[in-house]
Amino acid sequence: MTDGTGREHPEKFPRIFLVVLDESAELGVALKYASYRARNSGGRVALLVVTESADFQHWMAVEDIMREERRTEAEQILQRHARVVNELTGKMPGLYVREGNRREELLRLIEEEPSISILVLGAGTGPEGPGPLVSYLTGKGVSKLSIPLTVVPGTLTEEQLLVVT
């Protein structure tokens, strides 16, 4: 059985809602939306954090230290948000850490993990727009997605989230 995108998605496997972690204000709304949807549908949440690569190839020891620091910080971010997901769903989320370009690593993860069913992103509400990832994936990058994208308005209240999920 496929999930409508041509990807294998047997009924016995839960729907996986992937949330990309960053430090934006709208992340909280996207995380809650994905958690409520997962809880209400018997699905699960997966969390992705992508660390940027440094270019200190002349000083490999410095690059290794910086990479380790970024990895430690990413794991702390994952654990903090995983606690929230666990509280809201009663299940620990899948955790992914990648290094590189956020767009490229996100698309690569989606292709590598056929269990991921839906990408959930929060849209920024400020004058700078919805955010670079949302802008890319609803514009030029939409053709590169092989799963549905849910963009959650960053202004939704807790009450609104509970109604729409």
Side-chain angles (χ1 to χ4, degrees):
M1 179 176 172
T2 65
D3 62 4
T5 64
R7 296 156 58 101
E8 283 297 317
H9 192 72
E11 288 184 33
K12 66 180 180 177
F13 295 111
R15 180 176 291 163
I16 306 286
F17 297 86
L18 177 63
V19 179
V20 180
L21 301 180
D22 58 20
E23 296 301 322
S24 66
E26 59 272 12
L27 170 63
V29 176
L31 194 63
K32 286 183 179 181
Y33 177 88
S35 295
Y36 294 152
R37 284 287 314 273
R39 181 182 68 198
N40 294 340
S41 68
R44 295 190 73 96
V45 175
L47 305 175
L48 168 66
V49 71
V50 180
T51 63
E52 297 292 326
S53 300
D55 193 19
F56 281 95
Q57 295 185 7
H58 296 294
W59 301 345
M60 290 300 277
V62 172
E63 182 178 1
D64 290 343
I65 291 169
M66 291 178 69
R67 178 177 285 124
E68 186 59 36
E69 288 174 353
R70 286 190 310 272
R71 176 76 183 204
T72 299
E73 182 180 328
E75 289 173 358
Q76 291 171 347
I77 291 168
L78 276 173
Q79 293 304 318
R80 186 172 67 240
H81 293 296
R83 279 192 292 278
V84 172
V85 171
N86 189 29
E87 290 171 9
L88 295 174
T89 67
K91 299 175 185 174
M92 283 303 294
L95 305 176
Y96 298 95
V97 177
R98 297 286 180 111
E99 182 180 352
N101 176 281
R102 180 175 284 154
R103 287 184 208 168
E104 293 170 9
E105 293 303 321
L106 168 62
L107 294 170
R108 187 173 292 124
L109 175 63
I110 291 169
E111 288 306 312
E112 292 172 0
E113 291 291 336
S115 61
I116 296 173
S117 309
I118 298 171
L119 174 60
V120 179
L121 298 175
T125 59
E128 61 278 352
L133 202 50
V134 171
S135 295
Y136 174 73
L137 292 173
T138 58
K140 293 179 191 176
V142 72
S143 65
K144 296 180 180 182
L145 275 176
S146 58
I147 60 172
L149 168 64
T150 299
V151 178
V152 183
T155 56
L156 291 182
T157 64
E158 184 78 20
E159 294 77 25
Q160 290 170 319
L161 282 170
L162 290 170
V163 169
V164 299
T165 56

